[in-house]
Amino acid sequence: MLSGANSAANSEIYNKIKSEISSKVSNEVSNEMNSELSSKANNTVKNSMSKVTFVLNGQAVESSENPTKRLLDILREDHGLVGAKEGCGEGECGGCAVLLDYKIVNSCLTPLGSVQDKQVITIEGLSLSTEGQTIKKAFEDYGSVQCGICTPGMMIATASLLHHNQKPTEAEIREGLSGNLCRCTGYNMIVKAIQYLADEKGELWC
Amino acid sequence: MSDISRSINKVDNDEKITGKAVYIDDIKLENMLYAKTVRAEITSGTIIGRHYPEMPTDYHIVDYLDIPGNNYVKIIFEDMPVFVKDKVGYYGEPIALVVGPDKQVILDIISQIVFEYDAIAPIYDYVDSVIHYDYEKGVGEAVFEPANRVIEYTYETGYQEHVYIEPQGVIGDTDGDKISVYGSIQCPYYVKNALINTLGMDEKKVRVVQTTTGGAFGGKEEFPSLIACQVAVAVKKIGKPIKLIYNRVEDMAYTTKRHPSTIRMEAAIDEQNNILGFRAHVSLDGGANIGLSSVVLQRAMIAATGVYNINNLAISGDVYRTNTVPTGAFRGFGAPQMIFAVEMFIHHIAKELGIDPLILRNKYMAKQGDSTSTSGHFRDPIIMKDMIARAKELADYDHKIKLYGEHMPTKDMPGIGMSWFLHGCGFTGSGEQKHIKAVVRLHKDVGDIVTVLVAAVDMGQGIKTTMRKLVAHVLELPIEQVIMHNPDTDLVPDSGPTVASRTLMIVGALVSQAAEKLKENWLAGKEQIFEEKYKQPKYIQWDEESFQGNAYPGYSWGVNIVEVAVSPVTYEVTLKGTWSVYDVGKAIDERIIMGQADGGLLQGISYGMLEVMENKDGMVQQKTVTDYIIPTASDTVNMITELMDNPFELGPFGAKGAGELTLIGGAPAVALAIENAIGKSVTKIPVTPEYIMSLIEGE
Ligand code: FES
Ligand code: FES
């Protein structure tokens, strides 16, 4: 078992999401990606040494890339997971956000080596889970999406926020989104979507 | 038929929310090379020597010598080079691209490139006028002779950076014969025409495709033509696909921004405290290239009276060339600067005359039938009276304005401000007829699926949803039976650029006319095509030389009320509330308009109080989102917005423009709120804590 077991992510809900994602990942996410992953995994197993092992969207993966390489590049270039976007490259915009043991991190500032034995969930994975689909529906109903470039990051931020605080106040919601810049929406309709989720869908996270 | 304003699930929600939408940086083509820009390191002067290192295999330098056609970016003024030949106009001006397979090697090559320059003294002040316009209304200048008193104020506005979260980027590709450019762009045909000009190629050999665009706000109107030309020149030379993506620092330092301005306003006042007329002069900093600046200046000058009816005017303006990064299109296009000045000025006049500003404003508020600044007419109903009443009620304005402005130095100082504004929709004057000549097409296939063929791009404003909804509504079809793709110039006619709040009102009107025709002639199971071309309404008579006539086919209107609290210790401003009412004719999708309204207002408010960008020695000082602050969710409040229907006869289902309108009132509303809080006249935006301190404590 991987050491994510000790983290905050070790809640039932996390495991539930994880298993949901991994079953869906193997069914729905492109087979092409899976075979790419497994061939990579095979290669890296062979040349052992400094490989980094982690769980990506519910599946164990290994990377023999330089551990200082940005997780963002690993995801986008090696795994074809381009849902995380580079908006600034310096940890300020949240466009590249992913869940690391169910907590939001900016993958542009996360070195590959630091995810050793951890669980990484990207927007591609999140959106397959019940939580992801529930947030998605709220974003649709409240008009939270305009150009969409910040949206994967906003989804990740919402999941991270609600995971750690099922009943956030408006101020806590705003604080929870404050690492994610959006230039289109003025945040109004994103905040409203999350208020709805907190009011009506709290049971999903508790 | 159901009310068209009722909101539907946006057609691109699914792909955007799940991360499946493909933005330019998400595309990887086989054998694709990367490009990076090599830039000038002086602000003004001439290149007298170039030293390029030996190139490793598969690495290339691309510069002006490789340009097959004309070395300028086809915009309005032909003064922006694709690559600098010898004359450098601003720090960071592009001289060449280095192209190759590995980004790190490219950086190493760039570090070895040396240019020799002959530098000359740069110009940063408003001295080199490259565009000048003036116009009069009524007796013009002469109204100042009988004036009892003249009130004069000068207003200043700073740069604003778009900060679309997706930086600029394009990919070029070729099949050996034809060149295709994919990109994050607003105006596929602007890019295509620029490519034809710079590549010297036949229009059939050039193709432009828009990729999902992660925000634009005007920043992807003319600028992408520059990088598209550079990359296309490189593709033509090298014969492989090439990707050029700006990082945030490059994007902030070297792409266009909103024009800084200085606006001098004078009012002629008679003995009864009537405003006889205005005299105004607008100075815009154009940066090193004129580009679109002349059109921005026109819009600013035409907005010189804001929502007020002033009978006599003498308005002039200049665009100044400076050795700084070129300024260009930004949501509002000159109007935000001018509306800030006018809204502050009318308050400052009232203050000087000892009149309640609201009484003065109401007295001059334009009514249907009144003449516009350019001696045209407001033909359509103006419902501002109701809108203002509603906004005041929502905000509890009358109560608060009496209460606030009393100084309690130990407590936060509350303040409330209200702006009134309008925005002319579409191109100024005869622009649609003379320059754009929009064409739209509807194609129905044998399966009765209807495709909307227009060059309009969805950059977040939801046009894919609203266009499909319009057509589906006219044809009484489910929205799934109507399709609209990202524009590809090989497939769509030139319906014009996605700018100037024209897309729904002008392009949408043509599309709905085509849909009406298709409906009348519908043949189930048959392929059918219907095309519509723009015809200028007869009432638009416009003289470009004298600025006389109806400058716009129609106007959208708005009221913003903003409440703030100013800290008496740090002078920091906290947003407390916003209340807005807009007349955009008829919303085609209410939730889409409300979303645009939230985003536009926040951009306007932060333009007015937060966003600081300075240029020092020709260099932009704020080059990251750490240094250039835009609001986060924590800086923002619940924004209350309402729409009032006022259908416009020429818009589809009565719709008018909405994209730009919602930004325009933000800066004056927040500046007036701060003025109310601190009891000092604000004449400059952004109203930073430093500026507030200088107002309160004196210089
Ligand atoms: S790209 Fe990582 S925070 Fe902006
Ligand atoms: S929707 Fe465009 S940046 Fe958020």
Side-chain angles (χ1 to χ4, degrees):
Chain A
M1 234 346 251
L2 298 162
S3 74
N6 296 327
S7 71
N10 186 25
S11 64
E12 268 169 50
I13 181 69
Y14 178 69
N15 290 324
K16 194 179 105 207
I17 290 179
K18 201 181 65 182
S19 66
E20 251 173 37
I21 292 174
S22 61
S23 73
K24 286 193 182 154
V25 163
S26 42
N27 299 337
E28 295 178 28
V29 160
S30 69
N31 292 324
E32 176 200 339
M33 187 184 107
N34 280 334
S35 66
E36 212 181 276
L37 290 187
S38 59
S39 77
K40 264 218 171 82
N42 288 342
N43 289 341
T44 47
V45 168
K46 273 172 218 149
N47 54 38
S48 63
M49 285 315 284
S50 67
K51 63 183 193 244
V52 177
T53 344
F54 61 104
V55 177
L56 178 56
N57 292 331
Q59 299 211 319
V61 293
E62 290 173 334
S63 173
S64 52
E65 290 282 355
N66 187 329
T68 63
K69 203 169 162 183
R70 308 187 304 174
L71 178 61
L72 177 62
D73 299 325
I74 301 287
L75 295 173
R76 291 180 58 90
E77 288 164 20
D78 299 351
H79 296 287
L81 296 170
V82 295
K85 309 295 181 190
E86 177 160 356
C88 70
E90 54 164 17
E92 284 289 331
C93 75
C96 63
V98 298
L99 293 169
L100 185 60
D101 286 349
Y102 231 81
K103 208 167 172 271
I104 186 170
V105 295
N106 289 324
S107 65
C108 71
L109 291 189
T110 306
L112 169 64
S114 73
V115 306
Q116 172 71 35
D117 293 343
K118 293 196 172 154
Q119 320 264 356
V120 175
I121 298 176
T122 68
I123 184 62
E124 289 86 350
L126 176 66
S127 51
L128 295 175
S129 70
T130 309
E131 281 70 14
Q133 280 168 11
T134 308
I135 304 171
K136 173 175 183 251
K137 178 77 171 46
F139 274 31
E140 289 172 352
D141 290 346
Y142 284 85
S144 315
V145 183
Q146 291 191 30
C147 80
I149 195 83
C150 73
T151 309
M154 289 291 180
M155 289 282 292
I156 296 283
T158 305
S160 176
L161 168 71
L162 292 176
H163 181 71
H164 295 98
N165 180 359
Q166 287 80 33
K167 288 271 166 220
T169 61
E170 184 184 336
E172 287 168 340
I173 294 173
R174 292 185 177 279
E175 179 61 33
L177 297 180
S178 63
N180 292 69
L181 295 177
C182 174
R183 191 57 155 167
C184 298
T185 65
Y187 308 102
N188 221 32
M189 293 180 170
I190 302 176
V191 172
K192 293 215 164 101
I194 302 174
Q195 280 174 325
Y196 159 81
L197 289 167
D199 291 347
E200 304 292 330
K201 298 283 171 184
E203 75 280 5
L204 256 183
W205 281 270
C206 55
Chain B
M1 230 191 273
S2 66
D3 182 0
I4 194 159
S5 300
R6 178 147 4 110
S7 303
I8 61 166
N9 191 7
K10 281 174 77 180
V11 298
D12 49 1
N13 266 337
D14 180 68
E15 58 169 27
K16 284 179 172 173
I17 295 174
T18 59
K20 284 188 288 239
V22 179
Y23 296 83
I24 190 69
D25 197 22
D26 303 336
I27 299 172
K28 217 170 175 178
L29 302 176
E30 211 175 322
N31 295 322
M32 190 173 75
L33 304 178
Y34 297 95
K36 185 142 180 88
T37 313
V38 188
R39 300 181 178 280
E41 287 178 307
I42 57 165
T43 51
S44 177
T46 312
I47 301 177
I48 50 170
R50 298 173 182 239
H51 306 280
Y52 295 135
E54 187 96 11
M55 284 291 131
T57 321
D58 217 11
Y59 288 83
H60 313 263
I61 298 263
V62 180
D63 68 9
Y64 77 98
L65 290 169
D66 299 305
I67 297 173
N70 296 313
N71 185 12
Y72 65 82
V73 183
K74 191 164 185 241
I75 312 174
I76 288 187
F77 272 81
E78 300 170 348
D79 65 345
M80 178 187 275
V82 175
F83 291 116
V84 172
K85 182 167 173 248
D86 39 39
K87 211 175 142 281
V88 173
Y90 63 97
Y91 186 91
E93 192 165 6
I95 302 176
L97 293 182
V98 174
V99 179
D102 186 294
K103 291 179 189 168
Q104 192 52 50
V105 177
I106 293 173
L107 291 179
D108 292 346
I109 293 170
I110 291 179
S111 70
Q112 295 167 51
I113 295 176
V114 178
F115 297 110
E116 287 168 61
Y117 301 101
D118 200 354
I120 58 170
I123 298 171
Y124 303 128
D125 296 331
Y126 290 174
V127 289
D128 182 15
S129 169
V130 281
I131 301 280
H132 173 89
Y133 296 126
D134 50 62
Y135 74 90
E136 292 199 334
K137 176 185 174 185
V139 301
E141 188 77 40
V143 80
F144 280 78
E145 281 155 31
N148 177 48
R149 133 168 221 212
V150 174
I151 296 175
E152 180 183 334
Y153 275 78
T154 297
Y155 300 95
E156 279 174 56
T157 68
Y159 279 114
Q160 188 177 23
E161 162 61 36
H162 308 85
V163 202
Y164 28 68
I165 303 299
E166 176 202 35
Q168 301 273 353
V170 295
I171 294 176
D173 193 14
T174 181
D175 60 2
D177 178 40
K178 187 168 184 166
I179 294 205
S180 298
V181 172
Y182 306 83
S184 178
I185 61 176
Q186 283 177 246
C187 313
Y189 275 91
Y190 277 8
V191 177
K192 178 167 173 164
N193 292 333
L195 292 176
I196 294 168
N197 176 61
T198 290
L199 295 171
M201 282 166 71
D202 185 86
E203 61 156 329
K204 291 198 180 59
K205 302 285 180 201
V206 177
R207 169 180 174 235
V208 176
V209 184
Q210 179 241 350
T211 51
T212 308
T213 297
F217 317 114
K220 294 169 184 173
E221 175 171 343
E222 79 277 29
F223 186 84
S225 296
L226 170 68
I227 52 176
C229 285
Q230 293 170 343
V231 165
V233 167
V235 168
K236 177 126 187 159
K237 173 177 178 172
I238 300 162
K240 286 187 182 169
I242 297 170
K243 184 192 244 189
L244 175 64
I245 306 283
Y246 274 15
N247 63 34
R248 181 59 60 185
V249 171
E250 273 180 296
D251 200 298
M252 293 194 78
Y254 308 122
T255 70
T256 48
K257 336 216 155 288
R258 191 186 297 289
H259 294 71
S261 75
T262 300
I263 301 174
R264 195 187 68 239
M265 304 286 301
E266 291 168 87
I269 309 289
D270 75 5
E271 275 172 19
Q272 289 75 45
N273 283 348
N274 294 307
I275 301 174
L276 299 174
F278 279 176
R279 182 159 54 201
H281 182 268
V282 184
S283 300
L284 294 182
D285 183 343
N289 305 124
I290 299 170
L292 296 173
S293 298
S294 57
V295 201
V296 174
L297 178 63
Q298 286 170 3
R299 202 178 260 278
M301 288 171 60
I302 293 168
T305 52
V307 298
Y308 306 105
N309 179 23
I310 306 292
N311 289 328
N312 302 292
L313 298 174
I315 313 294
S316 58
D318 291 86
V319 173
Y320 295 95
R321 195 202 317 262
T322 60
N323 290 111
T324 57
V325 61
T327 44
F330 196 141
R331 196 176 193 175
F333 215 72
Q337 292 94 322
M338 196 54 167
I339 296 290
F340 162 71
V342 177
E343 284 297 90
M344 301 315 285
F345 189 47
I346 196 96
H347 280 80
H348 296 157
I349 295 172
K351 219 185 227 178
E352 300 256 355
L353 298 179
I355 307 174
D356 176 349
L358 213 49
I359 292 173
L360 188 71
R361 293 166 86 187
N362 276 322
K363 180 170 159 192
Y364 290 97
M365 174 70 220
K367 296 178 296 300
Q368 184 175 20
D370 280 352
S371 61
T372 64
S373 60
T374 56
S375 314
H377 284 94
F378 288 113
R379 302 170 64 251
D380 300 303
I382 296 173
I383 58 168
M384 279 291 274
K385 235 179 126 189
D386 295 341
M387 293 162 61
I388 293 162
R390 181 63 185 149
K392 280 166 60 180
E393 183 184 327
L394 289 170
D396 195 14
Y397 178 87
D398 289 332
H399 175 232
K400 288 176 180 168
I401 192 85
K402 277 195 211 106
L403 215 67
Y404 295 173
E406 295 295 322
H407 292 250
M408 292 162 285
T410 50
K411 283 227 186 87
D412 274 5
M413 300 179 268
I416 193 161
M418 172 164 62
S419 62
W420 301 351
F421 48 96
L422 80 175
H423 196 66
C425 307
F427 271 84
T428 302
S430 316
E432 290 288 344
Q433 175 95 327
K434 267 176 71 182
H435 305 294
I436 305 297
K437 304 183 181 80
V439 180
V440 309
R441 212 174 284 144
L442 282 185
H443 175 267
K444 179 170 85 65
D445 68 11
V446 292
D448 292 340
I449 300 287
V450 179
T451 305
V452 184
L453 295 167
V454 293
V457 316
D458 198 318
M459 47 199 174
Q461 88 285 37
I463 202 67
K464 271 186 178 167
T465 302
T466 40
M467 283 290 179
R468 285 174 63 178
K469 197 174 172 188
L470 262 184
V471 173
H473 216 79
V474 172
L475 295 172
E476 296 175 58
L477 292 176
I479 192 157
E480 295 74 25
Q481 216 174 318
V482 181
I483 304 295
M484 181 173 154
H485 298 290
N486 288 350
D488 170 341
T489 57
D490 272 8
L491 303 175
V492 301
D494 186 358
S495 63
T498 319
V499 304
S501 304
R502 66 182 287 279
T503 305
L504 195 54
M505 192 176 95
I506 306 277
V507 183
L510 294 174
V511 165
S512 81
Q513 283 160 27
E516 295 285 358
K517 285 200 182 143
L518 173 58
K519 190 178 183 184
E520 280 163 33
N521 299 285
W522 184 274
L523 297 169
K526 288 261 184 312
E527 181 175 9
Q528 290 178 285
I529 294 175
F530 284 90
E531 195 171 273
E532 285 292 316
K533 290 195 173 72
Y534 180 79
K535 286 177 270 329
Q536 182 163 298
K538 287 217 170 48
Y539 67 85
I540 299 185
Q541 298 294 330
W542 176 249
D543 186 299
E544 220 166 79
E545 289 292 304
S546 64
F547 283 59
Q548 296 299 303
N550 281 308
Y552 304 102
Y555 298 85
S556 295
W557 302 79
V559 180
N560 289 154
I561 298 179
V562 170
E563 185 176 342
V564 298
V566 181
S567 158
V569 182
T570 61
Y571 301 123
E572 255 169 273
V573 179
T574 311
L575 205 54
K576 289 292 180 191
T578 79
W579 300 268
S580 306
V581 180
Y582 300 102
D583 157 18
V584 296
K586 172 83 181 156
I588 297 302
D589 188 288
E590 197 177 273
R591 194 167 51 208
I592 287 181
I593 297 288
M594 299 295 250
Q596 284 231 282
D598 292 338
L601 177 59
L602 189 59
Q603 274 180 13
I605 289 174
S606 59
Y607 174 49
M609 63 172 265
L610 196 64
E611 297 183 30
V612 178
M613 181 170 272
E614 298 140 326
N615 200 304
K616 190 159 171 269
D617 300 330
M619 281 180 257
V620 168
Q621 298 299 295
Q622 292 77 11
K623 290 185 292 228
T624 64
V625 277
T626 317
D627 294 336
Y628 184 79
I629 310 288
I630 64 167
T632 68
S634 295
D635 305 321
T636 312
V637 290
N638 182 20
M639 295 181 270
I640 311 284
T641 306
E642 288 189 6
L643 305 177
M644 279 195 188
D645 282 359
N646 182 17
F648 173 57
E649 69 172 290
L650 299 176
F653 294 91
K656 299 187 278 197
E660 294 173 286
L661 175 79
T662 57
L663 182 142
I664 290 171
V670 76
L672 287 166
I674 295 169
E675 180 163 308
N676 176 232
I678 65 175
K680 305 278 177 194
S681 295
V682 168
T683 58
K684 194 167 82 177
I685 50 171
V687 190
T688 58
E690 293 76 23
Y691 176 43
I692 295 174
M693 180 165 87
S694 76
L695 288 174
I696 291 182
E697 298 176 6
E699 292 300 337

